[in-house]
Amino acid sequence: MSNENKFRITSLNVGGMACAFCASTMENGLSKVNGIKEVKVVLESNEVFVKYDSSVITEESIKKEIEKLGYYVSDKTTNDISFMLKDIKRRSIISWSLTSLSSSLTYLAISYNNLTMYIFYLILVVVSFNLFYIAKPIYIGALNAIKKRILNEHVLYGVAGLASYTLGILFLIYKDLLGFLLISSLLTSLHLSAGWMGGLLNYKVERALHKIIELRPPYAHLLNGEDVPISKLRRGDIILVKPGEKIPLDGIVIDGESEVSEALITGESEPVIKRKGDLVIGGSTNGNGYLKIKIVEDYNNSYLSRIIGLINSVKQKKSRFMSFFERVIDKVWVPLALIISVVTFFGWWIYGILIGKDLILQGIINALLVTAIAYPCAIGFSTPSINLSLYEKLLNHGILIKNPYVYEKLKHVKILVFDKTGTITCGKPTVKKYTGDQKGLLYAASIERLSAHPIAKAIVTYAKEKGVEEFLEVINFKEIPGKGVIGNINNNVVEVKRDASGNVTVYIDNEYVGSFDIEDDIRPYVKEYIKELKEMGLRVILLSGDKEDKTRKIAHKIGINEYYANASPDDKVKIIKELKETGESIMMVGDGVNDAAALAIADVSVVMGSGVDVSKNISDIILISNDIGILVKLIRNRKKLSKGGPLNVLIALSYNAIGIPLAILGLLTMQIAMLIMALSLISVFLNANIFKKMINL
């Protein structure tokens, strides 16, 4: 087996990961296992991607290593993220029930002194069950992390939990320590709740993605009457789509006629008439007609599959904040918290010696409270919770954020550059006027129907609307890129010449017989959107490869004063570079392959959902719905969006900043400590949801 072939990549759904610390633990822990070459954790989707040497380690062994770290692997064959959500929810509810029970029993023990010892043993049983059964995977993870020389949140939890449990048992000697059993139970509940909250947010994201997947029907009708899963369809297969059904995959109509709604996919609200030769997109909805379709893209290469693939690739990206956690926080926070805890203990012990008192127990209590308050899940959960909440909301509105740190870049944008074709316009040329006789129209449509060019399609559609039903036979057909088409019809040489601006002329035997005025319709409400962008203080520019007169006409029609015409792909790159020299941040919105190079050097790049893949691969934002209006709303919220992550981190840190000094100074009671720990996690989760609702789309 060659070195290349022995490496495999597996994707595993892992439960129990709640924050950035968990993700870092997983990557650091697995990377130290013999045979594993590379590990990538996607906290937002609970996925772990592992590249491993199949001659050294198996996938089953990798799963066991994950379990040793204190997490568990879901059965991916169920393809249902709700499985893990239900499991972590169940564990959290049980844990909180046990914590509530132990809290009630603690209250009874304090209130009724004559029952204290009996209730103590009952509390001990309840808390022990919570710690050593419900939270057993966490302790296993802590031990294995220590073996791998990793100090993570499991270790901190284990230290705080076991120390609290031990102090609680010392109630038999020191009557004031009963409440520490409750702290150990509360820590368990908080740890599991962090996983539940993360799972809930992730579930919402997956549900939003599932809406896209559900656009496709599960089965397709073959000509022989057999229904097959759409994943089994191959390029060239012929299928039937009945009235009201969804079109399974991308294809070309070879028979029939119907109105097709593409609104859920492209954002175009009006149904489009589809006839023989027209392209249809998988996931769009057929109207009242019957369509026979030839599949042109298989399941993995269809339009929706490419969108879903892009979404999955996005889930593998990490924000700068997450990378910062991996490089610094997880290597500093836990060791620092443990050091502060130890220093606190010795500080109180020495202070007791100096004043002539035995403060060892007080030192132990304060040191323990430091580790409890320093528990880092709220901090590690702060940014992922914001990102997940925003990701779900934006995805539901047809916006796919590819780079998690784009929110920070958005707020600095001052110049907005729009490519014209397919962005400002619909990318669907239509004939506005034909000058010539019926013969010229018939000959032009007959030869153009053999071309796949958008202008050719516009001419054929126009001819059908004008009553042309039968086309003439064409021989010696040839298409000249950028020039037009030529061929023979009834022993006549027919030539249709095109230019970049939509001027099309028809010649028969070198004699002019007619011309078409073709334009690409402007997207609805673009003028209003441009006006709003300018009112925000943005400098708006139009880029186009069309001639000066066409570009000027479109620019003035939509209210843009600054434009560039006759722009080649190299020209577009040059223009973006010149604009960047002004020192202003630039957003470019494009569609086609000609925009890819310019998009790559813009500070923020946006592509329409109908854009080509090469543009999508280098973009920061994809407008799945092709709706410029939703982009305008995103820009309107750009300053607010940049504040979400830092605000949540600040909220999480504030609890630690208040609690740790109080614990060091001995001013923190057990009750306040428990309140701070609970509030920190709840505040981060609630703020993420509140912040999401504040973004008006």
Side-chain angles (χ1 to χ4, degrees):
M1 182 181 290
S2 68
N3 287 335
E4 194 63 32
N5 291 334
K6 69 180 181 179
F7 285 110
R8 296 181 182 175
I9 297 177
T10 184
S11 170
L12 303 169
N13 278 17
V14 177
M17 295 189 296
C19 65
F21 293 99
C22 300
S24 182
T25 293
M26 185 68 66
E27 291 190 351
N28 291 336
L30 289 182
S31 63
K32 294 179 180 181
V33 175
N34 186 33
I36 294 180
K37 184 178 181 182
E38 188 177 348
V39 183
K40 193 165 194 176
V41 175
V42 187
L43 181 60
E44 287 79 2
S45 60
N46 286 329
E47 289 176 288
V48 178
F49 295 85
V50 183
K51 186 175 183 179
Y52 64 99
D53 186 340
S54 57
S55 65
V56 177
I57 192 170
T58 64
E59 185 171 323
E60 285 302 314
S61 297
I62 294 172
K63 291 179 181 179
K64 290 178 181 178
E65 291 292 337
I66 291 174
E67 290 169 357
K68 287 179 182 178
L69 290 171
Y71 306 97
Y72 57 97
V73 181
S74 168
D75 181 8
K76 286 197 71 175
T77 58
T78 63
N79 197 28
D80 187 3
I81 193 93
S82 64
F83 168 82
M84 287 193 297
L85 180 63
K86 289 175 182 176
D87 182 71
I88 191 67
K89 178 181 178 181
R90 177 184 59 81
R91 293 172 66 206
S92 296
I93 290 174
I94 292 173
S95 181
W96 276 112
S97 298
L98 293 171
T99 297
S100 299
L101 177 58
S102 58
S103 177
S104 300
L105 291 171
T106 301
Y107 174 78
L108 286 174
I110 295 171
S111 302
Y112 301 97
N113 289 329
N114 58 329
L115 297 176
T116 299
M117 291 307 300
Y118 298 103
I119 296 177
F120 165 74
Y121 290 114
L122 185 56
I123 294 172
L124 188 62
V125 171
V126 173
V127 172
S128 299
F129 183 77
N130 198 9
L131 260 67
F132 303 118
Y133 182 74
I134 301 297
K136 180 181 176 182
I138 305 174
Y139 284 102
I140 293 174
L143 289 172
N144 281 284
I146 292 172
K147 289 178 182 178
K148 296 178 185 293
R149 290 175 293 178
I150 298 172
L151 293 178
N152 60 10
E153 86 287 358
H154 283 348
V155 174
L156 196 58
Y157 161 79
V159 170
L162 288 175
S164 297
Y165 182 79
T166 303
L167 279 179
I169 293 176
L170 289 178
F171 160 79
L172 294 170
I173 303 173
Y174 302 99
K175 300 301 181 182
D176 294 334
L177 299 181
L178 180 61
F180 277 97
L181 281 176
L182 185 55
I183 284 185
S184 64
S185 187
L186 178 66
L187 279 170
T188 301
S189 299
L190 288 172
H191 186 91
L192 293 172
S193 293
W196 181 10
M197 291 176 184
L200 181 61
L201 290 173
N202 179 55
Y203 174 70
K204 290 182 178 180
V205 171
E206 292 297 321
R207 189 172 57 186
L209 174 59
H210 202 65
K211 290 179 182 177
I212 297 177
I213 297 173
E214 285 180 340
L215 290 176
R216 295 185 295 207
Y219 294 95
H221 311 304
L222 296 179
L223 284 178
N224 62 8
E226 181 185 0
D227 289 347
V228 297
I230 63 170
S231 58
K232 301 294 184 183
L233 290 178
R234 295 293 178 263
R235 192 177 302 178
D237 286 347
I238 309 295
I239 62 170
L240 301 176
V241 180
K242 301 173 184 178
E245 291 186 334
K246 290 180 179 178
I247 295 169
L249 296 177
D250 304 350
I252 292 178
V253 177
I254 60 175
D255 190 22
E257 180 177 317
S258 183
E259 283 191 339
V260 173
S261 173
E262 299 175 344
L264 291 175
I265 301 169
T266 66
E268 303 295 340
S269 58
E270 294 296 323
V272 182
I273 295 177
K274 299 291 184 179
R275 302 183 178 93
K276 185 177 180 179
D278 289 340
L279 178 69
V280 289
I281 301 175
S284 52
T285 304
N286 187 24
N288 296 324
Y290 149 92
L291 294 174
K292 184 185 290 185
I293 297 170
K294 181 179 181 180
I295 300 300
V296 296
E297 293 289 356
D298 61 24
Y299 182 84
N300 293 323
N301 294 316
S302 67
Y303 177 82
L304 279 178
S305 290
R306 293 198 299 271
I307 290 293
I308 293 166
L310 283 165
I311 292 174
N312 286 329
S313 71
V314 169
K315 290 175 3 182
Q316 297 184 43
K317 292 181 179 292
K318 295 182 180 179
S319 66
R320 290 174 178 173
F321 189 80
M322 286 288 288
S323 299
F324 174 72
F325 259 113
E326 292 171 3
R327 293 194 309 269
V328 180
I329 298 296
D330 72 305
K331 294 180 176 65
V332 174
W333 185 268
V334 175
L336 181 62
L338 292 173
I339 289 171
I340 293 174
S341 178
V342 171
V343 170
T344 298
F345 166 72
F346 281 106
W348 278 91
W349 180 34
I350 294 170
Y351 176 65
I353 293 173
L354 293 176
I355 63 173
K357 289 185 178 181
D358 183 3
L359 297 178
I360 291 179
L361 180 60
Q362 185 65 41
I364 292 173
I365 292 172
N366 293 339
L368 173 60
L369 290 175
V370 167
T371 59
I373 290 296
Y375 189 63
C377 257
I379 302 172
F381 186 55
S382 56
T383 297
S385 63
I386 286 285
N387 286 342
L388 282 166
S389 294
L390 289 177
Y391 187 89
E392 177 232 345
K393 180 165 188 172
L394 295 175
L395 190 59
N396 277 324
H397 283 81
I399 304 174
L400 174 60
I401 301 295
K402 284 189 63 185
N403 293 324
Y405 50 87
V406 75
Y407 304 122
E408 181 65 25
K409 297 196 294 181
L410 265 177
K411 73 174 182 179
H412 299 296
V413 170
K414 297 294 183 183
I415 301 175
L416 187 51
V417 180
F418 282 102
D419 176 66
K420 181 180 76 67
T421 304
T423 306
I424 294 298
T425 64
C426 297
K428 298 177 181 178
T430 57
V431 177
K432 300 300 180 184
K433 182 181 178 182
Y434 169 69
T435 303
D437 57 21
Q438 190 70 10
K439 179 181 178 181
L441 177 61
L442 174 61
Y443 274 48
S446 296
I447 192 169
E448 286 283 28
R449 73 187 179 92
L450 301 180
S451 170
H453 196 282
I455 287 179
K457 180 181 177 181
I459 291 173
V460 173
T461 299
Y462 179 81
K464 290 179 179 179
E465 291 172 352
K466 294 301 180 181
V468 175
E469 297 180 355
E470 297 291 334
F471 295 98
L472 303 175
E473 183 182 358
V474 180
I475 60 174
N476 299 324
F477 171 82
K478 184 179 181 182
E479 183 158 11
I480 305 169
K483 301 292 183 181
V485 293
I486 189 171
N488 296 99
I489 299 177
N490 294 336
N491 296 319
N492 300 120
V493 177
V494 181
E495 186 175 7
V496 180
K497 296 182 179 180
R498 316 183 192 119
D499 68 21
S501 293
N503 298 311
V504 180
T505 50
V506 186
Y507 296 84
I508 299 178
D509 293 331
N510 292 322
E511 181 181 346
Y512 169 83
V513 295
S515 64
F516 296 89
D517 183 12
I518 297 178
E519 290 184 4
D520 190 357
D521 290 334
I522 297 173
R523 291 185 184 274
Y525 309 111
V526 166
K527 185 175 182 179
E528 289 82 354
Y529 298 148
I530 297 300
K531 180 182 178 182
E532 186 174 350
L533 289 167
K534 292 167 78 173
E535 288 173 350
M536 293 181 205
L538 295 173
R539 178 183 170 191
V540 184
I541 300 171
L542 181 67
L543 272 183
S544 177
D546 283 352
K547 292 182 179 179
E548 172 76 20
D549 58 338
K550 289 275 187 180
T551 305
R552 182 176 62 252
K553 181 180 177 181
I554 293 288
H556 289 172
K557 194 170 183 179
I558 62 177
I560 294 180
N561 300 321
E562 191 174 355
Y563 63 87
Y564 294 87
N566 299 304
S568 67
D570 289 340
D571 291 333
K572 292 179 181 180
V573 171
K574 183 179 178 182
I575 290 166
I576 297 297
K577 284 182 176 179
E578 289 175 352
L579 291 171
K580 290 188 74 171
E581 289 175 1
T582 65
E584 303 286 7
S585 183
I586 299 169
M587 172 189 284
M588 181 174 176
V589 187
D591 176 68
V593 66
N594 290 340
D595 307 323
L599 285 164
I601 63 171
D603 297 291
V604 178
S605 55
V606 182
V607 299
M608 311 301 282
S610 55
V612 295
D613 285 348
V614 67
S615 296
K616 291 176 185 174
N617 289 338
I618 52 88
S619 66
D620 297 306
I621 302 170
I622 297 175
L623 300 181
I624 300 174
S625 62
N626 293 318
D627 183 6
I628 295 176
I630 199 67
L631 176 63
V632 174
K633 292 178 181 178
L634 184 70
I635 294 171
R636 188 195 303 144
N637 285 277
R638 67 191 188 279
K639 292 183 180 179
K640 192 184 296 182
L641 284 165
S642 66
K643 296 176 182 178
L647 176 61
N648 232 17
V649 173
L650 185 62
I651 289 173
L653 285 173
S654 64
Y655 285 98
N656 298 98
I658 294 170
I660 291 176
L662 290 177
I664 293 172
L665 296 173
L667 301 176
L668 190 66
T669 65
M670 288 180 289
Q671 292 84 353
I672 296 175
M674 288 187 284
L675 182 64
I676 289 176
M677 287 186 289
L679 284 178
S680 63
L681 190 60
I682 293 170
S683 298
V684 165
F685 181 78
L686 289 179
N687 182 63
N689 283 276
I690 292 170
F691 185 80
K692 176 181 71 173
K693 293 176 181 177
M694 291 171 61
I695 305 301
N696 300 314
L697 296 176

